[in-house]
Amino acid sequence: MVGPTAAAARLERRTSGIQSLCRAGLDADALHDGFLYRLRTIMPVDAAFFATVDPATLLFTSAVAEEPLDTATSLFLENEFGRRDVNKFAVLAETAPAVSSLDQATGGERARSARYREVMAPLGLGDELRAALVIDHHCWGVLCLHREDSPTGFSADEVTLVRRLAPHLAGGLRRAVTGGAFPSPPSHSPASSPPPGIVVLDDSLTVVSVNAEAEQWLADLTDHRWPGSGTLPAALHAAAAQLLFTERADPVTCPPPAAVRLRGRSGRWLCLHASRLQDPAGPRIGVVIQAVPPAELGSALLSAYGLTKAQLRVAALILKGRSTREIVTELYISANTVQEHLTAIFDKLGVRNRQELIATLLATTPPGTL
């Protein structure tokens, strides 16, 4: 029989092992697989959902759903982006500690959640433990753990454990998404990137047509099982679904949905943007896929290095060529404060001066390991 002290020591060893795994520089798939394998040696998990997200929009850029969750992707996305419910990832990402169970959020009355009633209960699932994977104020992914439907859900100790591990998983995911875990890509110039491609969908999110350029871009998405899997890549699905849900929320003055930015398997950065098309055959959605413009790529990568909001503002002005005096005038801060921010920025990015900062962020290839 294992005593309390021995059990606590074993739990600590396994927890430390998971933290070490998150620092190992793995790609997102390997990180997800390794994390869940080790977590299941500590606590039971009957099903799991894992996704990377665009930190600017929180739209999914890749996703893995275990059985039976993989059969309810459309219902899950509709709930996430188009319905009011508890523990939405966008809310968790803004709320410390960014981890909560369904039982906690509903006071044990799971039927108060539309997601439980319409998605989880029909699949035989009960309590759900959700985590927004946030580090340095930016969310890089989401994790959803499930238990089979029974009166007993995740314990307070299990919620605390996931809260402890979530920032480490977020850090590992940030490394995977932004550079370190991808193979070194060939040098890409704007001229060598494929032209913008377009995928046309109907309102049921069924593919109507796709051009050759879009096929090239889609082949580079991290959801590399498409089209053989028969499901849309997560980023494509999220961009189109967000358009539909935005239209339903405000059909008159529907604002354009934000583009989804992600890094392809080749190391190239791309974005997907959905818009409404007029077609005599019926409602259509066009999703344009193209390379992220260099100026936008700079701001996307800045957030990957854990800069504070103040440092991001200074770095953005540096990218625009502003001098220290101009930054002082524009941000209403002192020259000493500008220099303090610059020193912190250079340290975090591993550069020595403004020229190296600009070269790192506006290079046509992604940065190296963070």
Side-chain angles (χ1 to χ4, degrees):
M1 181 174 179
V2 179
T5 303
R10 182 176 62 185
L11 174 61
E12 189 61 33
R13 285 195 302 271
R14 292 180 177 179
T15 302
S16 297
I18 293 176
Q19 293 171 346
S20 297
L21 175 82
C22 293
R23 296 190 295 268
L26 302 176
D27 64 40
D29 286 342
L31 180 60
H32 156 260
D33 292 344
F35 181 90
L36 283 179
Y37 175 80
R38 287 164 175 77
L39 184 65
R40 282 178 162 125
T41 68
I42 300 174
M43 57 184 278
V45 176
D46 296 315
F49 172 85
F50 174 84
T52 57
V53 304
D54 177 353
T57 64
L58 298 188
L59 294 179
F60 299 153
T61 56
S62 70
V64 179
E66 296 180 346
E67 295 181 352
L69 298 167
D70 56 346
T71 64
T73 300
S74 296
L75 291 174
F76 179 83
L77 284 174
E78 182 175 359
N79 176 274
E80 190 62 34
F81 297 117
R83 301 283 301 276
R84 292 185 178 181
D85 212 330
V86 298
N87 288 346
K88 289 297 188 72
F89 288 126
V91 175
L92 289 175
E94 298 293 332
T95 308
V99 177
S100 179
S101 73
L102 179 65
D103 282 357
Q104 285 180 323
T106 63
E109 298 178 21
R110 297 171 189 166
R112 289 169 48 194
S113 164
R115 186 169 58 254
Y116 172 78
R117 296 192 308 269
E118 300 168 7
V119 183
M120 293 157 51
L123 297 176
L125 298 174
D127 196 15
E128 172 193 58
L129 180 53
R130 286 186 152 211
L133 303 176
V134 177
I135 184 170
D136 296 321
H137 309 292
H138 292 89
C139 181
W140 292 94
V142 296
L143 177 68
C144 196
L145 309 175
H146 293 265
R147 288 274 168 82
E148 290 184 354
D149 209 349
S150 71
T152 303
F154 291 95
S155 69
D157 286 344
E158 290 169 333
V159 174
T160 299
L161 174 64
V162 174
R163 286 176 176 172
R164 177 182 174 185
L165 292 173
H168 296 277
L169 181 57
L173 190 58
R174 181 175 67 182
R175 295 183 190 94
V177 170
T178 57
F182 283 83
S184 298
S187 178
H188 294 307
S189 67
S192 68
S193 295
I198 185 167
V199 179
V200 179
L201 310 169
D202 63 22
D203 277 14
S204 68
L205 302 189
T206 299
V207 176
V208 175
S209 65
V210 53
N211 67 3
E213 291 80 9
E215 291 279 10
Q216 293 183 61
W217 286 114
L218 290 171
D220 200 26
L221 293 183
T222 51
D223 292 56
H224 52 275
R225 294 167 295 174
W226 189 86
S229 65
T231 59
L232 292 177
L236 186 63
H237 197 151
Q242 178 71 358
L243 173 66
L244 287 175
F245 303 146
T246 303
E247 289 177 338
R248 292 172 189 168
D250 189 356
V252 178
T253 60
C254 173
V260 184
R261 300 171 305 182
L262 68 153
R263 192 166 180 239
R265 291 185 295 134
S266 69
R268 227 187 298 248
W269 283 84
L270 58 150
C271 65
L272 297 85
H273 187 278
S275 59
R276 176 59 67 186
L277 302 178
Q278 300 301 321
D279 191 314
R284 296 288 185 264
I285 299 170
V287 182
V288 175
I289 311 174
Q290 62 187 24
V292 175
E296 293 183 17
L297 178 58
S299 62
L301 294 179
L302 277 171
S303 64
Y305 290 89
L307 273 61
T308 66
K309 292 181 179 179
Q311 292 164 2
L312 283 170
R313 288 192 289 269
V314 171
L317 292 176
I318 292 295
L319 290 175
K320 294 179 180 179
R322 302 289 199 275
S323 66
T324 296
R325 180 175 298 179
E326 290 171 328
I327 295 174
V328 167
T329 301
E330 193 159 340
L331 297 183
Y332 301 100
I333 58 178
S334 69
N336 286 339
T337 300
V338 172
Q339 189 55 51
E340 289 174 0
H341 288 326
L342 283 175
T343 299
I345 292 166
F346 295 161
D347 287 345
K348 289 181 178 181
L349 272 74
V351 299
R352 294 170 295 180
N353 52 49
R354 297 183 187 212
Q355 290 72 27
E356 290 186 4
L357 171 68
I358 294 171
T360 295
L361 293 173
L362 298 187
T364 55
T365 55
T369 303
L370 301 183

